Amino acid sequence: MPIATPEVYAEMLDRAKANEFAYPAINVTSSETLNAALRGFAEAESDGIIQVSTGGAEFASGTKVKDMVTGAVALAEFAHVVAEKYPVNIALHTDHCPKDKLDGFVRPLVALSQERVDRGLNPLFQSHMWDGSAVPLDENLKIAADLLEATAKARIILEIEIGVVGGEEDGVANEINDKLYTSPEDYLKTVDALGTGEKGRYLVAATFGNVHGVYKPGNVKLRPEILKQGQDVVAGKLGLPAGAKPFDLVFHGGSGSLLEEIHEALTYGVIKMNIDTDTQYAFTRPIVGHFFTNYDGVLKVDGEVGNKKVYDPRSYLKAAEQGMAARIAQACEHLKSSGRMIAG
């Protein structure tokens, strides 16, 4: 299917919210990891979200070029062509963008999509994330309000972060402290600044102990009830019935989370869960196995000529694609609930 239109993306998110499941949002850095993500969603028979970070986009442009916008556009254009061969809906998203990179990443990409929309086309990306966790909340929300106006006009959904995800991702590091828990006041300020959809749709990456990085299950101390508290306090402010979930929530920093914690978060309105660390390993591990098994073929040992069939990049990237795709399919299964993750 073609990359999701704004209408299809909105329907995907609505369906997830109504049926208490979440889409894995898979970070990619190359055409090969993007192919693996597409394959994984197709094998799981699931719609999904593919995303690129600032560092991933820079890498995708080439280590000599190192231009975030160029890399992001290249991956998105590639996805628009290749995704048509798969029977699932895919939305394209950009991941964490801090304040100092907005002018070199998100804003130019929104402007590019606006040009497309003005010509009667769909936006290049379906959503973008502004990560204001490193600035005071009032400044975070002021920038978010300006961005929301621009993204809504370009038919794009904005993702914001209130609270702080600990650990390190793409060179952005945060301490592990009480700021990892979004407060009720943070939720209320968000609604005051951004509304409830009338100014444009947005996703909220609220934090409840999330930490980026590599952890064994149980080592990350999550408090999913923080998400329920936020939904409840805003529902009360808006006069909504008990159990209402006014926010569309995003789960960041999920490595090491217990499955029951993930499932609890889904019941509180999480509809998108970012997955990067696990899929990186799933992509790399088959390559390591290939090289260890075929070391005398990939290396010209003792003056020999090696074996072209095993040092041809296709021989090990094929296995890497399969490994990453399998992990994505597993993630889709873990994030399912009573609802279907694919349209139709």
Side-chain angles (χ1 to χ4, degrees), residues 13-21 187 191 196 201-204 224 227-236 238-249 263-271 337-338:
L13 299 179
D14 290 343
R15 190 168 68 254
K17 186 83 161 285
N19 292 287
E20 295 187 349
F21 67 83
Y187 289 103
V191 168
T196 57
R201 188 167 188 171
Y202 61 95
L203 312 177
V204 177
L227 302 178
K228 183 179 187 301
Q229 291 173 7
Q231 299 280 32
D232 288 347
V233 72
V234 172
L238 299 175
L240 299 175
K245 293 176 275 193
F247 284 123
D248 296 332
L249 298 177
H263 286 167
E264 182 181 354
L266 300 184
T267 68
Y268 301 146
V270 167
I271 57 175
S337 184
S338 59

Side-chain angles (χ1 to χ4, degrees), residues 6-336:
E7 293 80 11
V8 168
Y9 189 29
E11 191 275 334
M12 286 169 57
L13 299 179
D14 290 343
R15 190 168 68 254
K17 186 83 161 285
N19 292 287
E20 295 187 349
F21 67 83
Y23 296 103
I26 306 301
N27 282 68
V28 301
T29 57
S30 64
S31 60
E32 192 56 48
T33 51
L34 198 154
N35 277 332
L38 291 170
R39 176 175 177 171
F41 285 121
E43 290 182 351
E45 297 184 341
S46 171
D47 294 341
I49 300 168
I50 292 176
Q51 60 190 24
V52 58
S53 65
T54 55
E58 183 181 272
F59 178 82
S61 74
T63 55
K64 183 67 174 178
V65 176
K66 299 180 69 173
D67 181 81
M68 294 181 291
V69 172
T70 298
V73 170
L75 287 175
E77 294 285 7
F78 181 84
H80 275 266
V81 173
V82 178
E84 291 192 1
K85 303 296 183 180
Y86 289 86
V88 290
N89 296 302
I90 299 294
L92 301 177
H93 176 80
T94 61
D95 201 9
H96 294 271
C97 181
K99 181 181 177 181
D100 63 341
K101 294 182 179 178
L102 282 173
D103 288 342
F105 191 55
V106 165
R107 288 192 175 108
L109 290 173
V110 172
L112 190 153
S113 282
Q114 184 64 61
E115 292 174 4
R116 289 170 59 97
V117 169
D118 290 345
R119 290 186 280 118
L121 303 175
N122 289 314
L124 186 62
F125 283 86
Q126 287 63 61
S127 52
H128 294 292
M129 182 187 180
W130 146 237
D131 181 354
S133 60
V135 302
L137 182 62
D138 288 346
E139 182 184 0
N140 178 352
L141 294 175
K142 183 179 185 303
I143 292 172
D146 292 340
L147 288 170
L148 184 60
E149 181 179 359
T151 53
K153 185 179 178 183
R155 306 180 69 202
I156 295 167
I157 293 173
L158 180 68
E159 180 182 330
I160 66 167
E161 182 170 314
I162 54 172
V164 176
V165 176
E168 188 274 336
E169 182 179 45
D170 243 4
V172 178
N174 291 307
E175 294 181 5
I176 299 175
N177 53 36
D178 60 357
K179 292 183 179 180
L180 301 186
Y181 303 97
T182 303
S183 72
E185 292 76 17
D186 294 341
Y187 289 103
L188 292 170
K189 283 189 173 184
T190 299
V191 168
D192 288 340
L194 304 182
T196 57
E198 70 278 5
K199 298 179 182 180
R201 188 167 188 171
Y202 61 95
L203 312 177
V204 177
T207 55
F208 52 105
N210 323 55
V211 181
H212 288 133
V214 184
Y215 302 90
K216 292 182 178 180
N219 284 7
V220 176
K221 305 303 180 183
L222 296 179
R223 294 176 55 199
E225 69 273 11
I226 294 289
L227 302 178
K228 183 179 187 301
Q229 291 173 7
Q231 299 280 32
D232 288 347
V233 72
V234 172
K237 174 185 175 67
L238 299 175
L240 299 175
K245 293 176 275 193
F247 284 123
D248 296 332
L249 298 177
V250 181
F251 190 153
H252 285 248
S255 296
S257 303
L258 298 175
L259 194 57
E260 55 264 34
E261 294 172 331
I262 294 172
H263 286 167
E264 182 181 354
L266 300 184
T267 68
Y268 301 146
V270 167
I271 57 175
K272 171 179 180 279
M273 181 172 177
N274 288 16
I275 300 176
D276 187 20
T277 303
D278 285 355
T279 51
Q280 286 178 339
Y281 184 79
F283 185 85
T284 301
R285 181 61 182 84
I287 297 176
V288 174
H290 177 91
F291 277 75
F292 280 160
T293 303
N294 300 288
Y295 75 94
D296 56 346
V298 297
L299 297 175
K300 297 182 178 181
V301 179
D302 296 330
E304 295 297 325
V305 296
N307 182 347
K308 184 180 185 302
K309 289 185 178 180
V310 296
Y311 63 71
D312 183 332
R314 290 173 293 182
S315 65
Y316 49 87
L317 289 177
K318 178 181 178 181
E321 178 185 310
Q322 292 172 336
M324 182 172 169
R327 181 63 186 90
I328 292 167
Q330 182 187 50
C332 290
E333 187 64 31
H334 286 168
L335 295 178
K336 280 183 180 178

